[in-house]
């Protein structure tokens, strides 16, 4: 029961492929974009509850810091001081704060649905109402305990040989348990019209391989905490302390064995290095102890599968070797652990609290678990997001919102087209291909044209963990059903209420759910300067992903194909290396710097989005008189305030460390100051001299767009 849904692109495969593969890659959180419940042009969930500030809020500033010294601190210092991290959060950002309000909007919808006794059986309203009600039923969770899992535990206990182990691996994976390796449908990198089966590294309990392998004191402490956590869970299942401790050691030993074979997170960002098509015969030669045809049949995948993309062959090969090197009883312990680990947040309080103690308190530094209603809102969106999303957009995303959004997106696309036509380092041959790719870039705004069909997903008011199990089984089956069929380009990778956005290299499309078209990203009552700095830079960010270190490897049709001349590619890669080196130089805490190669794509997109949005805004001004100053700030300064202001954030040290190790996005202060320090227009707007901290020396300035 994969209750820890991953909703953003931390890794290559999380970005490019199905949710099933993305979930297999990581059980940690992610840092993305966030916003508020007031839809563009709509009434907003909190309308009338507080006085809205349109555009930037001077109270958020720290005027003791000069803009040219640290623009992030100048823009967000007041906000950080006045918005300490709540006890139930590991981070607190201006967007996270507004995301919480967005959850309030969804909460209202779900409370109404849960109380509606007239909803037709099998309708979306019945399903979201019953799912939410079962999640909120704490008394029922306490009464049933782990009984709903008894049949699964019995299946594990009955394993007698390797074929039985392989069969149980397929069964548990089919209900969403992250064991052994990840799997799922994948749009073929080399034929973007087709969907294939892929196998990827997976099977860990902690967020990343480095948590098992790093030798610093902090990592050793976390590993000890994880070992104790696994011990505690086995004890809660009824095992005596000595047995539980031995079982925990077995689990950690197996996961460490798997982790050693995993590819480093930053290397997962290279699509060419993570694409290895094999026939089933070739895959069988790579993994002689694993019966793939039988496994695929037990998983419920199409019988016509003849080829598999083995994304990380070393990890799959290591798993195969472990099938015989690890005793069968060890594997049974490992499966038992991952079953309860996946289900723990949906069980009784003792399991919920123990799960939170490690993954929330120790790993992320969060002092207190989120209120149950918030967890239930998040999980309903995770399991039934497009059912909940239909009701959300009816209430908070009116048709005129989509029209306004389209105008701004097309303005940004025009600005990027102008930029591509004038780049002095790009040859005419490459320029032609780049413009062709931009012209073919798809656009999705608000919500899908074709809603997901949940008719085969049974939801009732029985034990919450059963609804989660059936929901994950539904999603796995839906994902596997796509294999061997043409790509469905109407499908969305995010739910409409999501406060985020993404670019898909395989679809060559940018996608903006309804949830993001709200203040502070977009405010219909704010000046253009602010909106282009905020939502404009976000739109430009996603468009620029089509030309970052990953996106640049895919052509206009979404195929992994080089469309660069050799000299242009070499020049582009050198400019990307400049970005990577810059962000590797930022110190998160003593002894831990940012991972520039992991963050390269997001940092390229941040810089590109900023420059494209600024160009688009300047184009809107034309020959009109300069807009009036607001609170003493001219229009250019308002633009940069719009860009920087929505990244205000406070981090707990544990969370900052976790994000630095696992997230492709730099921490917010570096996203702001790092990008702006490369932009001459910023220095000109604020009168920064060449020796200012916010101005990178010309020899070090990174320039792509």
């Amino acid at each position: 029961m994969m209750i820890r849904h991953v909703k953003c692109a931390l890794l290559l495969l999380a970005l490019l492929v199905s949710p099933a593969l993305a979930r297999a890659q990581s059980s940690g959180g992610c840092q993305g974009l966030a916003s508020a419940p007031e839809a563009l042009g709509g009434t907003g969930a909190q309308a009338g509850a507080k006085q809205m500030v349109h555009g930037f809020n001077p109270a958020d500033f720290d005027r003791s810091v000069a803009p040219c010294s640290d623009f992030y601190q100048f823009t967000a210092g007041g906000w950080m001081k006045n918005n300490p991290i709540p006890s139930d959060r590991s981070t607190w950002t201006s967007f996270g704060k507004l995301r919480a309000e967005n959850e309030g909007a969804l909460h209202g919808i779900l409370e109404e649905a849960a109380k509606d006794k007239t909803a037709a059986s099998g309708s979306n309203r019945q399903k979201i109402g019953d799912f939410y009600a079962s999640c909120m039923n704490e008394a029922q969770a306490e009464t049933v305990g782990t009984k709903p899992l008894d049949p699964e535990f019995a299946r594990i206990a009955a394993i007698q040989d390797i074929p039985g182990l392989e069969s149980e691996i397929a069964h548990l994976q089919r209900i969403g348990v992250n064991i052994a390796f990840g799997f799922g449908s994948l749009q073929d990198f080399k034929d973007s019209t087709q969907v294939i089966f892929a196998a990827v590294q997976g099977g860990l309990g902690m967020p990343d391989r480095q948590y098992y392998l790093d030798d610093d004191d902090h990592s050793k402490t976390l590993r000890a905490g994880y070992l104790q956590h696994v011990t505690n869970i086995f004890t809660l299942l009824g095992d005596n302390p000595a047995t539980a401790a031995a079982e925990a050691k077995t689990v950690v030993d197996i996961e460490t064995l798997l982790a050693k074979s995993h590819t480093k997170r930053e290397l997962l960002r290279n699509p060419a290095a993570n694409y290895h098509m094999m026939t089933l015969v070739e895959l069988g030669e790579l993994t002689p102890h694993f019966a793939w045809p039988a496994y695929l049949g037990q998983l419920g995948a199409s019988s016509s599968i003849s080829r598999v993309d083995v994304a990380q062959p070393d990890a799959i090969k290591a798993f195969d070797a472990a099938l015989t090197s690890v005793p069968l009883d060890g594997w049974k312990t490992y499966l038992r652990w991952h079953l309860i680990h996946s289900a723990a947040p949906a069980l009784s309080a003792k399991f919920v609290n123990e799960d939170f103690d490690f993954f929330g308190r120790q790993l992320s530094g969060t002092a207190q678990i989120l209120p149950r209603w918030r967890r239930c809102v998040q999980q309903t969106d995770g399991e039934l997001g497009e059912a909940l999303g239909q009701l959300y957009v009816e209430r908070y995303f009116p048709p005129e919102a989509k029209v306004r959004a389209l105008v701004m997106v097309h303005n940004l696309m025009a600005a990027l087209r102008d930029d591509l036509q004038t780049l002095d380092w790009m040859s005419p041959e490459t320029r032609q291909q780049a413009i062709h790719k931009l012209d073919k870039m798809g656009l999705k705004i608000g919500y899908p044209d074709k809603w997901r069909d949940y008719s085969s997903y049974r939801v009732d008011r029985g034990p919450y963990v059963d609804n989660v199990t059936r929901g994950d089984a539904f999603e796995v089956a839906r994902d596997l059903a796509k294999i061997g069929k043409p790509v469905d380009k109407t499908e969305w990778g995010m739910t409409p209420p999501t406060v985020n956005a993404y670019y898909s290299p395989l679809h060559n499309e940018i996608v903006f759910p309804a949830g993001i078209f709200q203040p502070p990203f977009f405010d219909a009552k704010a000046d253009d300067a602010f909106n282009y700095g905020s939502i404009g830079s976000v739109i430009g960010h996603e468009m620029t992903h089509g030309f970052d270190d990953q996106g640049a490897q895919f052509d206009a049709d979404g195929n992994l194909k080089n469309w660069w001349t050799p000299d242009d590619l070499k020049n582009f890669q050198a400019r990307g290396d400049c970005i990577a080196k810059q962000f590797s130089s930022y110190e998160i805490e003593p002894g831990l710097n940012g991972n520039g190669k992991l963050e390269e794509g997001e940092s390229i997109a941040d810089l590109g989005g900023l420059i494209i949005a600024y160009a688009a805004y300047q184009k809107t001004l034309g020959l009109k008189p300069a807009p009036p100053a607001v609170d003493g700030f001219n229009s250019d300064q308002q633009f940069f305030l719009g860009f920087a202001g929505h990244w205000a954030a406070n981090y707990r040290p544990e969370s900052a460390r976790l994000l630095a190790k696992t997230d492709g996005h730099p921490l917010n202060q570096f996203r702001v100051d790092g990008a702006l320090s490369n932009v001459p227009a910023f220095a000109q707007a604020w009168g920064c001299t060449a020796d200012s901290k916010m101005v990178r020396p010309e020899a070090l300035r990174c320039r792509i767009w």
Side-chain angles (χ1 to χ4, degrees):
M1 283 65 67
M2 184 51 66
I3 200 166
R4 299 172 176 85
H5 290 281
V6 176
K7 290 294 184 182
C8 60
L10 300 183
L11 304 171
L12 166 72
L13 290 173
L15 177 69
L16 297 181
V17 305
S18 68
L21 285 174
R23 290 198 297 271
Q25 290 291 327
S26 172
S27 61
C30 64
Q31 176 192 19
L33 303 170
S35 194
E38 184 183 13
L40 188 163
T43 58
Q46 306 298 320
K50 63 181 181 179
Q51 183 178 0
M52 295 296 297
V53 175
H54 300 288
F56 62 85
N57 184 356
D60 293 339
F61 300 165
D62 178 359
R63 295 182 185 271
S64 69
V65 177
C68 295
S69 178
D70 184 343
F71 196 69
Y72 177 78
Q73 183 65 31
F74 168 77
T75 307
W79 189 97
M80 290 187 286
K81 179 180 178 181
N82 296 325
N83 290 273
I85 305 174
S87 60
D88 58 4
R89 307 283 174 159
S90 61
T91 65
W92 195 233
T93 70
S94 60
F95 307 142
K97 183 178 180 179
L98 294 169
R99 179 187 286 130
E101 294 178 2
N102 205 34
E103 289 172 1
L106 297 176
H107 184 213
I109 293 171
L110 289 170
E111 284 286 342
E112 292 174 8
K115 295 173 184 176
D116 186 356
K117 305 299 184 183
T118 65
S121 177
S123 66
N124 283 342
R125 188 172 181 83
Q126 173 263 312
K127 290 181 178 182
I128 65 171
D130 282 4
F131 186 95
Y132 176 77
S134 76
C135 180
M136 290 296 293
N137 194 339
E138 296 180 77
Q140 181 173 241
E142 294 299 321
T143 299
V144 302
T146 60
K147 290 179 183 177
L149 301 180
D150 285 350
E152 303 302 334
F153 287 129
R155 287 177 59 100
I156 294 171
I159 297 172
Q160 296 182 351
D161 50 27
I162 295 298
L165 171 62
E166 294 176 355
S167 176
E168 185 59 17
I169 286 173
H171 171 73
L172 290 174
Q173 288 179 335
R174 198 166 65 241
I175 60 173
V177 181
N178 173 25
I179 50 173
F181 56 87
F183 69 96
S185 69
L186 170 68
Q187 186 173 328
D188 192 337
F189 286 10
K190 300 258 179 105
D191 181 359
S192 62
T193 66
Q194 297 299 313
V195 181
I196 59 175
F197 183 85
V200 303
Q201 63 190 33
L204 307 183
M206 288 193 286
D208 185 72
R209 71 186 295 275
Q210 299 306 128
Y211 282 89
Y212 296 86
L213 306 179
D214 285 349
D215 206 34
D216 58 280
D217 290 342
H218 183 79
S219 297
K220 290 178 181 178
T221 299
L222 275 178
R223 275 198 296 274
Y226 180 61
L227 182 66
Q228 186 61 53
H229 166 62
V230 180
T231 302
N232 293 346
I233 289 288
F234 279 125
T235 302
L236 291 178
L237 281 173
D239 300 345
N240 67 60
T243 299
E247 290 171 325
K249 184 178 184 303
T250 295
V251 168
V252 175
D253 285 348
I254 292 174
E255 291 181 355
T256 302
L257 181 64
L258 296 176
K260 288 178 179 178
S261 69
H262 281 201
T263 300
K264 288 185 177 181
R265 189 166 289 233
E266 57 269 30
L267 299 179
L268 292 174
R269 300 196 70 260
N270 183 350
N274 291 274
Y275 180 78
H276 305 91
M277 289 298 300
M278 297 183 183
T279 65
L280 287 184
V281 172
E282 292 170 331
L283 181 53
E285 293 171 352
L286 180 73
T287 56
H289 306 104
F290 195 75
W292 285 95
Y295 161 80
L296 290 169
Q298 292 157 348
L299 189 65
S302 170
S303 60
S304 64
I305 293 175
S306 60
R307 299 190 310 149
V308 175
D309 175 21
V310 185
Q312 294 85 34
D314 288 346
I316 304 302
K317 187 176 180 179
F319 157 70
D320 178 77
L323 283 174
T324 55
S325 67
V326 174
L328 194 61
D329 283 344
W331 277 113
K332 291 162 76 170
T333 298
Y334 168 85
L335 297 186
R336 187 166 168 248
W337 153 249
H338 274 279
L339 172 63
I340 193 68
H341 168 56
S342 293
L347 298 174
S348 57
K350 62 183 182 181
F351 287 98
V352 172
N353 292 336
E354 175 58 40
D355 182 78
F356 172 76
D357 184 70
F358 179 74
F359 289 97
R361 186 172 289 110
Q362 295 184 51
L363 193 61
S364 301
T366 312
Q368 182 178 336
I369 196 169
L370 283 172
R372 191 174 186 91
W373 73 262
R374 287 194 183 276
R375 288 178 274 143
C376 292
V377 166
Q378 292 173 1
Q379 193 59 25
T380 308
D381 185 44
E383 298 285 4
L384 290 155
E386 290 195 15
L388 177 58
Q390 289 184 55
L391 299 180
Y392 175 83
V393 298
E394 287 174 6
R395 191 171 299 186
Y396 299 116
F397 194 68
E400 58 268 24
K402 193 167 186 174
V403 174
R404 292 182 181 177
L406 280 168
V407 170
M408 183 167 281
V409 171
H410 288 306
N411 287 345
L412 268 292
M413 282 187 161
L416 179 53
R417 186 176 294 105
D418 289 345
D419 187 76
L420 289 171
Q421 289 173 338
T422 57
L423 285 178
D424 57 9
W425 58 268
M426 185 178 282
S427 70
E429 294 85 356
T430 301
R431 188 190 325 279
Q432 181 180 6
Q433 295 298 319
I435 293 173
H436 175 59
K437 181 172 185 178
L438 177 63
D439 288 342
K440 291 199 69 172
M441 188 175 289
L443 172 62
K444 294 175 179 174
I445 289 181
Y447 49 88
D449 293 326
K450 182 177 73 175
W451 293 101
R452 187 161 300 171
D453 178 7
Y454 292 99
S455 58
S456 63
Y457 175 17
R458 181 169 66 86
V459 180
D460 57 35
R461 300 206 175 200
Y464 171 46
V465 68
D466 285 345
N467 278 329
V468 174
T469 302
R470 290 192 295 265
D472 286 328
F474 164 81
E475 176 55 32
V476 170
R478 190 190 71 83
D479 181 68
L480 292 175
K482 295 187 289 186
I483 297 170
K485 298 177 182 176
V487 171
D488 180 3
K489 291 198 173 184
T490 68
E491 186 176 23
W492 281 53
M494 288 180 177
T495 66
T498 303
V499 187
N500 212 324
Y502 69 93
Y503 169 78
S504 168
L506 291 170
H507 285 190
N508 188 28
E509 66 180 10
I510 50 177
V511 184
F512 301 92
I516 199 171
F517 288 103
Q518 312 164 53
F521 285 104
F522 184 91
D523 185 346
K525 296 182 179 179
D527 293 338
D528 273 354
F530 177 86
N531 280 324
Y532 272 89
S534 53
I535 189 64
S537 66
V538 172
I539 295 169
H541 171 104
E542 300 305 339
M543 286 168 28
T544 309
H545 269 312
F547 307 93
D548 68 9
D549 60 319
Q550 280 185 349
Q553 298 185 53
F554 293 85
D555 67 12
D557 295 314
N559 291 303
L560 183 62
K561 180 180 179 181
N562 179 41
W563 46 271
W564 299 72
T565 66
D567 286 345
D568 285 344
L569 182 60
K570 183 178 180 180
N571 200 341
F572 173 75
Q573 290 172 338
R575 291 167 186 269
D577 287 342
C578 177
I579 293 283
K581 290 176 182 177
Q582 176 186 353
F583 283 85
S584 288
S585 71
Y586 294 135
E587 187 177 64
I588 310 302
E589 59 180 63
L592 177 65
N593 278 34
N595 184 340
K597 292 306 292 182
L598 177 62
E599 299 166 353
E600 182 177 347
E602 295 299 332
S603 300
I604 288 175
D606 280 340
L607 178 58
L610 173 63
I611 290 174
I612 298 306
Y614 181 76
Y617 173 61
Q618 293 298 313
K619 194 172 182 179
T620 67
L621 295 178
L623 300 176
K624 295 183 295 185
V630 176
D631 285 350
F633 298 109
N634 63 40
S635 61
D636 275 15
Q637 291 172 331
Q638 293 171 47
F639 171 89
F640 291 112
L641 290 172
F643 169 75
H646 62 226
W647 293 118
N650 284 312
Y651 299 94
R652 298 190 191 279
E654 298 89 343
S655 178
R657 176 178 282 271
L658 173 64
L659 291 169
K661 283 192 169 187
T662 62
D663 196 354
H665 303 82
L667 297 185
N668 287 10
Q669 67 193 86
F670 305 123
R671 296 188 78 166
V672 171
D673 286 354
L676 290 174
S677 66
N678 286 307
V679 179
F682 166 79
Q684 182 177 353
W686 292 91
C688 302
T689 58
D691 59 351
S692 298
K693 292 182 179 179
M694 283 298 304
V695 179
R696 284 177 68 78
E698 185 63 28
L700 298 178
R701 183 166 76 88
C702 299
R703 176 178 172 268
I704 301 178
W705 313 107

